[in-house]
Amino acid sequence: MTVAFYIMAAIAVLGAVMAIALRNVVHAVFSVLLFFSALAGLFILLLAEFIAVVQVLVYIGSVGILMLFAIMLTTKVTGDPTRKLLSRGWAWGGLVSGALLLAFLVPLITQSKSESNSQLSNFNPSVKDLGLTLMDPYFASVGVIALLLTAGLIAAVVAASSASGE
Amino acid sequence: MSLIAKGILQGMAVTAKNFIQSYYKKERLPTVEYPEEKSTVNQFTRNIPFLVYDGEDEIEGMRCTACKLCEKACPPQCIYIIKDTDENDKPIKRPKVFDIDSSVCMSCQLCVEVCPFESIRMDSEFELSNENRFEGLLINRDELLKSNEYYHEIHPIEAQETDDRIAAKIAEAETKKKAREEKARLAAEAKQAAAAMKAAEEAAAETETSATEQAQQSEAKAEAPEDNPETKNT
Amino acid sequence: MNNFIDYKLIELGQWTVGLFNDYPVVQILVHLLLATLPLTLVFMGAFGFSTWLERKGLARIQNRLGPNRVGIFGLLQPLADGIKMLLKEDIVPDRSDKLFHFLAPVMLMVPAFIAVGFLPLGDGLMALPMDSAILFFFAVGSLNTIAVFMAGWSSRNKYSLLGGMRAVAQMISYEIPLVLSAVAVIMFSGSLNAQEIVASQQIQSWLASGNLVKEFFGQILGWHIFKPWGFAGFIFFFVAALAEANRSPFDLPEADSEIIAGHLTEYSGFKYAIFFMAEYISAFAIAGIATTLFLGGWSGPVIAGLPWFIIKMFSLFAVMIWIRGTLPRLRVDQLMGYAWKFLLPLAILNIFVAGFYYFAEQQFGSLAAFIGGWVIGFGILQTAAKGLSRLNKSPTLDGKRVYQLVE
Ligand code: SF4
Ligand code: SF4
């Protein structure tokens, strides 16, 4: 388990770093996808099957493709090679962001360590449970989101049809 | 039926019919499995020319007189002819070299159209593939020569027409020969009569001779086309 | 029970695993191998067979003979093709993105084989028995798009890129009706578990009755395709599946008469073969999932289990071949219009019909729901389809077509 976690985490970090460091935009997007898939693996390790599936379905299958599609419509895939990727003072920036990250993470980690297993024991990660939870206590928010998305869809259709035909 | 379009179902029915009937209906599966069985070629098929010869001997029966008309007519110029010569280096009416480059020939049949001696004809042979793409595709005289019987086999109607035409020519030549002999006889008689009358009528002699000259000239004209069928087809 | 083949296979597997009881590490490995290796081999064999089937079927549809030289009936033709592909030179375009050019076929093949793992081949026969197998299947299926894009982009060829773009547009569009038409089934069965979905298509009370006739029909009549929403859903699903698998008439990404071979243009040799294999295996997988969702999965009379699943999957594949032999390719705008303007609304409507059917079954019993569903539910779908096709009709096609002859 731990070995798998470290492998996945390493892949995720690698993907994230490459996404920033690579010059070729398409390569960068693919490293983002690599990061996403490593994340999906991590979710599976956490027994969060559904989240993992959604990660793959939505982030890799749709968001990633959307990014690729957008890039395909651009002309310059490779950026200007003469320009440096790192600006001056990157060390300071890295230091500050690292400190912030630690500041957020450390309390969380210590908290989860101290947390008793009692809370975890009645936690059921199955998809059915998730569905029931979404449909019962959180129905209002799900409904609102669904309405919003439908409205967005209809708006898109209207926009598309008025753009093409008179 | 708008969930499944009717047209799609109709199309599917057609293809299904094709599929099923191909197993028991001959007209639904016209494929011929080539190397094992060959499809019969239509008798009007034409592919590449060949040279017809009569009788048994290829060289003796050759109809071609190396007149080179076909060489001139061939649009892609794939025919190459050299006249044969006898021992005394005198050209004779027979090709020594007759090559057709089958990779260039476009099966236009123009050579056949121009040949005055019914010698070159279109073949229906289609298995011409060869391992050597230069010499192998250049077909020489001996390969081109094929018997009249073969011609009858592949193009029966056309061959019959050709034979009839040649026979008609021979017959015509025969009648002309007879007419010529007749004329010659008449001329000889006329000459004799003229000789007899020579003494009697000196003034008329001039017109007589010019008449015989005219007759001789027309004979000479008739001789040229007659010459070949007579010698080759007897 | 009559699905003894599945039980025998499972027993065999358990026995094999049991052999390594003393070596736990080896046992895990053997377990993994048992789950994956037979599946891989069987589906690769099925791929070979299906190429033969496709060529033969298409040939017969076109009044030809098809391959008949290698082996009896040409059955060894796939083998000969494979050897030929292996021996061919692997050409990588000079200015291509070498890494991605190499990765694309792999990226396509791995999801295809993973997807196959989610198929419930028989009672308990499932390589990856996950709780939300159906969802996983769709998630993995969406990875195909990336591989196709990779292939198209990395080749540095205009045709490849066009094919890649077409593929991406098409796959994204058709994934939505595909999943939505599956949602109806998932809703009705109340589970994402493939085995439970199959079980929901068997009439359990009849199976348990002990009456032979009832057992026979209990294995058939419960299939979702016999329900109005299931029938409609199956059609939507199948159409979308054809598009997802890049099969004719939706084979625009590799439309050979327009863009050579689309994203495959720059591939040769073994990479091409891998592409080919991945596509066929995706087609199998999607036929398998259609079988699971609508055609009762492995349930069937007399020999329930693996045999029925294979029969159904191959029948669906045969229908794909049949369609390929019949229908011409769509135009790009028609393709997108069909997905967004016809399939999507109908698939959403179908979800509602399925929901009402579910409640009708609980309120009035299954027979009344069945009859009412076919009359009312299917009627609604039918009218909606008619209305949509009228709405979608392009104005230029109204009335008689006028052809202008060239003088
Ligand atoms: S058929 Fe035409 S091309 Fe061929 S040899 Fe005769 S004239 Fe030349
Ligand atoms: S084939 Fe005919 S046209 Fe050609 S050289 Fe011989 S006789 Fe003359």
Side-chain angles (χ1 to χ4, degrees), chain C residues 35-110:
Chain C
T36 51
L37 200 64
L39 206 66
T40 317
L41 292 181
V42 163
F43 271 91
M44 272 165 139
F47 156 66
F49 177 69
S50 63
T51 55
W52 174 85
L53 195 75
E54 172 145 26
R55 291 173 66 176
K56 272 291 203 201
L58 279 183
R60 286 291 175 165
I61 283 173
Q62 296 158 358
N63 297 350
R64 293 184 286 115
L65 275 172
N68 63 348
R69 293 280 147 178
V70 195
I72 123 169
F73 296 129
L75 265 173
L76 293 182
Q77 185 70 40
L79 204 70
D81 283 348
I83 293 170
K84 186 196 85 175
M85 286 291 192
L86 265 176
L87 294 180
K88 278 207 165 181
E89 186 189 355
D90 176 29
I91 300 166
V92 181
D94 194 32
R95 294 190 55 200
S96 69
D97 198 308
K98 303 265 175 351
L99 177 69
F100 283 1
H101 194 263
F102 170 78
L103 271 182
V106 183
M107 271 290 289
L108 196 65
M109 197 174 69
V110 171

Side-chain angles (χ1 to χ4, degrees), chain A residues 118-135:
Chain A
S118 64
Q119 227 178 334
L120 279 173
S121 62
N122 59 19
F123 167 67
N124 188 354
S126 84
V127 181
K128 193 164 191 165
D129 234 50
L130 187 80
L132 287 177
T133 321
L134 277 181
M135 274 302 161

